[in-house]
Amino acid sequence: MLAAQNKTIDLQVLIDRLAEARNCTDKLFEIVRSDSLYERPIPERHRIVFYVGHLEAFDLNLFRSQVPALKPFAPEFDKLFAFGIDPVGGGLPTDQPDDWPQLAPVNSYRNEVRHLLDAMLQAGDFQSSAHNSVELLLNVAIEHRLMHAETLAYMVHQLPFGRKHWQPQRSPSEGAFRAGVLQIPEGIATLGLEPRDAQRFGWDNEFEAFETEVPAFRIDKYMVTNGEFLEFLRSGAYDNRQFWSEENWRWKQERNIQHPAFWIQRHGDWHYRGMFEESPLPLNWPVYVSWAEANAYAKWAHKSLPTEAQWHRAAYGTPQGSERTYPWGNDVPRPGLGNFDFSRWDPAPVSSFPLNESAFGVQGQLGNGWEWTESLFGPFAGFQPFSFYPGYSADFFDGKHYVMKGGSARTEASMLRRSFRNWFQPRYQYAYAGFRCVSNENETAD
């Protein structure tokens, strides 16, 4: 009897989390002025209105695998809003605003889907199995929505200020900043999650856990800042062909890429495009760039981007050989430890959170910006795709996406777990993503 009660309580916690996640995305849509919901602020993404329908279409399509009684009531919307896009061949979407439904029926669709799913969940009208439990599907629905909350944030970030309703944010603490390079000794890094456990959620690409030996290396104490990247740009190296691969250089030339997407140049001075206002370029904030730009900087600095295993070793390893749950220890994420869990709209100075420090002294690896690695996104040994969502990870094991670790200011706390993996194409400039560099043990630090 007690086990059944606990299961009911656990399920209600997830139902409540889904409601909170919905509230999070609803508030993001409210930032956008109603006459701007059909804008496409990022060329590689759908128009904003797509996401109004997508989040509910995803949930409805997901739960149909468990609830045969969930019958389609708007199959054309179920299909239209089913999938986002991630064009890898250079082709960009060409649809026009008039190609999309008007907002009123899209909102009606959203409301009806929520009503149906909530009624089903409260009534317990679902089947369950060891592999596709309703708890698993709820976790998928929650984190899928929260990942899109971050996608929506950086999409809205690119909208002109006049198309948004302004919101205030807390000013970050400044903190002292002195760049440094730290030595990480040879040791073990554990990647991934232990075999699937109903009590621990992870996406299919997080399994199975394994250990790997990581040779000694050196790593930047902080993420590379706007100021450091500005030195790279002013040196002329940003426009020097030798620091770019052929494909990355072609992209840079064809798209006329002259600087990071969050930077603006006015009358010879550099400014930062914040979520709600422009400001002089904050030199001690992490720079947000594509993998291609980060890799070019690393080559210029005679360094490289870390592998996924190196990043793990620097974040979670200890001199004693044990590993931590988080860089700072085993305490769960909380306010004050870092710039994450929707704490800000923009970055903070890289040294703002000294408690967000690994056992080796590396600071800020969780929050304030995802961190690019040089590791291509691929499966771990024992990978099994979700039967109800087989393409979530497998569709991107294509040698064209790179792993990112850490999290940004708009990353929810549950996705700060050690095993979580994010990934993007190398020439995508718009994510809240930065980097830090590594070098071999025997190389001289700059």
Side-chain angles (χ1 to χ4, degrees), residues 264-276:
I264 303 168
Q265 190 172 34
R266 299 196 188 283
H267 309 296
D269 295 324
W270 289 103
H271 296 257
Y272 180 80
R273 182 201 302 273
M275 176 62 94
F276 298 108

Side-chain angles (χ1 to χ4, degrees), residues 410-422:
R410 309 310 298 175
T411 303
E412 199 262 351
S414 67
M415 290 178 284
L416 297 175
R417 60 182 177 273
R418 193 169 73 181
S419 57
F420 188 85
R421 308 168 79 201
N422 200 354

Side-chain angles (χ1 to χ4, degrees), residues 146-216:
L146 291 171
M147 282 188 267
H148 271 299
E150 183 161 347
T151 302
L152 284 165
Y154 69 68
M155 286 180 64
V156 173
H157 206 124
Q158 296 299 320
L159 276 176
F161 300 131
R163 294 188 176 274
K164 294 179 276 194
H165 298 287
W166 186 85
Q167 291 188 8
Q169 69 174 350
R170 293 184 296 108
S171 297
S173 58
E174 289 299 321
F177 169 64
R178 183 178 180 182
V181 179
L182 300 172
Q183 178 71 37
I184 309 297
E186 177 183 8
I188 292 292
T190 302
L191 280 68
L193 278 173
E194 293 298 329
R196 288 168 171 78
D197 182 337
Q199 302 304 312
R200 298 179 65 198
F201 173 70
W203 292 91
D204 54 9
N205 66 75
E206 297 178 53
F207 299 99
E208 303 281 347
F210 67 97
E211 290 185 351
T212 185
E213 187 75 25
V214 182

Side-chain angles (χ1 to χ4, degrees), residues 93-146:
T94 59
D95 56 274
Q96 299 301 311
D98 290 346
D99 296 330
W100 293 91
Q102 293 186 359
L103 190 60
V106 177
N107 284 338
S108 295
Y109 173 79
R110 175 198 62 198
N111 296 339
E112 181 62 18
V113 170
R114 290 185 183 182
H115 172 74
L116 290 173
L117 292 182
D118 290 349
M120 175 269 296
L121 291 167
Q122 293 298 338
D125 184 20
F126 44 79
Q127 300 172 355
S128 188
S129 69
H131 299 293
N132 293 347
S133 67
V134 70
E135 290 87 357
L136 174 60
L137 298 187
L138 274 168
N139 273 304
V140 167
I142 291 164
E143 290 205 0
H144 169 266
R145 184 177 290 267
L146 291 171

Side-chain angles (χ1 to χ4, degrees), residues 245-394:
S245 71
E246 181 178 346
E247 195 169 9
N248 291 341
W249 182 254
R250 186 184 311 116
W251 161 79
K252 186 177 182 302
Q253 295 299 100
E254 291 177 353
R255 296 284 187 93
N256 194 29
I257 306 297
Q258 299 180 3
H259 54 77
F262 291 83
W263 291 17
I264 303 168
Q265 190 172 34
R266 299 196 188 283
H267 309 296
D269 295 324
W270 289 103
H271 296 257
Y272 180 80
R273 182 201 302 273
M275 176 62 94
F276 298 108
E277 59 187 352
E278 186 179 308
S279 64
L281 186 67
L283 299 181
N284 58 357
W285 288 12
V287 64
Y288 287 166
V289 291
S290 65
W291 184 95
E293 292 166 295
N295 190 57
Y297 175 97
K299 287 184 177 180
W300 170 73
H302 305 290
K303 299 179 181 180
S304 62
L305 299 178
T307 65
E308 187 175 3
Q310 285 176 322
W311 195 94
H312 266 256
R313 173 73 177 146
Y316 306 112
T318 67
Q320 296 76 30
S322 59
E323 291 179 289
R324 295 175 170 182
T325 305
Y326 299 98
W328 54 77
N330 297 322
D331 293 339
V332 298
R334 57 176 172 76
L337 277 177
N339 186 17
F340 46 66
D341 205 22
F342 310 113
S343 58
R344 279 176 51 80
W345 290 108
D346 292 308
V350 295
S351 59
S352 295
F353 303 96
L355 296 180
N356 189 338
E357 181 175 273
S358 78
F360 297 117
V362 185
Q363 284 200 15
Q365 286 186 269
L366 290 190
N368 217 27
W370 293 94
E371 300 190 24
W372 289 107
T373 74
E374 72 168 21
S375 297
L376 285 167
F377 182 57
F380 295 154
F383 169 80
Q384 296 180 18
F386 284 148
S387 61
F388 53 85
Y389 195 177
Y392 170 73
S393 299

